[in-house]
């Protein structure tokens, strides 16, 4: 979580690469790229749209967290853009399942809990890449949908925390004013 630098108003940022929801979007980008090459027809517009939605989700998290060093507003907006891109990707995976008459797994499916538990604790590319050749289209889509749900949940929690931090600490203009007032008070005490 970003916090105010003790010497001024520029915040020390979080390392977006360490965020669990970012790691999940990184996996999703790789999975989606692989999925489109294996299962979607060449020239199908859905190919590019899915890959771009996955990329946008991942990239907007990175940009948003970095922008958050100076702008809570930009951070909130960009992380929400990431969420919206991943909603688009989720829709594409759901439509694929429906169009191909494949099952969307829910709690009644025998493999659902095991899949959800696996996705919950595994957040690195290598955890998934080893299965790409083995998974059926149905397995691929359901794992992607699970990761999408978990990433979305993580981003929603992140946005709520950032909202609380903003309410408690204010934005960059307030921090700049406070830093300037503090510096003036320090100068006045010296003189």
């Amino acid at each position: 979580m970003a916090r105010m630098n003790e010497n001024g108003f520029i915040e020390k940022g979080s390392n977006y690469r360490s965020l669990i929801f970012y790691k999940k979007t990184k996996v999703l980008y790789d999975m989606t790229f692989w999925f489109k090459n294996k299962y979607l027809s060449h020239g199908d517009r859905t190919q590019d749209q899915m890959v771009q939605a996955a990329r946008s989700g991942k990239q907007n998290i990175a940009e948003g967290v970095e922008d958050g060093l100076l702008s809570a507003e930009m951070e909130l907006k960009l992380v929400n853009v990431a969420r919206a891109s991943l909603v688009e990707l989720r829709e594409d995976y759901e439509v694929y399942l429906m169009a191909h008459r494949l099952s969307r797994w829910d709690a009644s499916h025998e493999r659902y809990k095991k899949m959800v538990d696996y996705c919950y604790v595994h957040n690195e590319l290598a955890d998934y890449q080893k299965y790409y050749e083995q998974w059926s289209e149905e397995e691929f889509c359901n794992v992607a949908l699970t990761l999408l749900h978990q990433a979305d949940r993580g981003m929603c929690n992140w946005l709520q925390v950032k909202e609380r931090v903003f309410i408690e600490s204010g934005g960059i203009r307030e921090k700049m004013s406070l830093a300037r007032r503090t510096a003036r008070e320090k100068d006045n005490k010296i003189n």
Side-chain angles (χ1 to χ4, degrees):
M1 183 60 43
R3 51 194 184 278
M4 189 160 156
N5 184 328
E6 57 192 71
N7 299 321
F9 57 88
I10 297 177
E11 296 188 6
K12 297 176 186 174
S14 295
N15 177 0
Y16 67 87
R17 288 186 170 107
S18 69
L19 297 169
I20 299 297
F21 62 85
Y22 174 79
K23 290 179 178 188
K24 289 185 186 300
T25 61
K26 190 174 173 183
V27 170
L28 280 160
Y29 175 74
D30 190 66
M31 283 179 64
T32 301
F33 193 85
W34 202 89
F35 177 84
K36 70 111 177 168
N37 286 330
K38 184 171 183 179
Y39 294 114
L40 299 176
S41 303
H42 182 68
D44 182 348
R45 280 204 50 189
T46 306
Q47 280 189 329
D48 291 337
Q49 290 172 326
M50 287 180 78
V51 170
Q52 287 306 316
R55 182 184 182 280
S56 178
K58 180 176 76 66
Q59 297 300 105
N60 278 296
I61 292 167
E63 184 177 355
V65 172
E66 288 300 311
D67 280 354
L69 297 176
L70 290 177
S71 174
E73 179 182 4
M74 285 304 296
E75 182 174 24
L76 295 172
K77 283 181 179 179
L78 287 169
V79 172
N80 201 55
V81 168
R83 282 191 66 243
S85 294
L86 296 175
V87 166
E88 178 185 346
L89 182 61
R90 183 185 70 211
E91 289 291 319
D92 285 331
Y93 277 113
E94 288 174 345
V95 166
Y96 186 90
L97 285 171
M98 183 180 64
H100 292 85
R101 296 188 176 34
L102 301 169
S103 296
R104 169 80 192 265
W105 299 354
D106 61 18
S108 66
H109 192 280
E110 63 187 63
R111 294 179 57 199
Y112 178 78
K113 182 172 177 7
K114 188 175 180 181
M115 174 191 62
V116 170
D117 291 346
Y118 185 88
C119 292
Y120 186 75
V121 297
H122 292 89
N123 302 304
E124 302 298 330
L125 281 173
D127 298 331
Y128 296 89
Q129 288 174 326
K130 60 188 174 186
Y131 297 112
Y132 289 2
E133 291 291 339
Q134 301 168 23
W135 283 339
S136 68
E137 326 168 59
E138 185 173 288
E139 290 168 317
F140 219 103
C141 289
N142 279 286
V143 170
L145 288 166
T146 299
L147 287 169
L148 283 159
H149 173 73
Q150 291 175 353
D152 184 64
R153 198 164 178 187
M155 284 186 278
C156 287
N157 291 338
W158 172 264
L159 290 168
Q160 287 176 343
V161 167
K162 295 308 262 180
E163 178 184 43
R164 276 195 312 271
V165 168
F166 180 80
I167 289 168
E168 292 169 5
S169 305
I172 188 71
R173 285 183 178 85
E174 292 163 305
K175 291 173 186 172
M176 290 169 70
S177 295
L178 177 61
R180 185 68 189 129
R181 276 194 309 273
T182 302
R184 284 183 185 150
E185 289 171 6
K186 189 177 179 181
D187 286 346
N188 287 340
K189 286 180 183 177
I190 293 173
N191 295 331

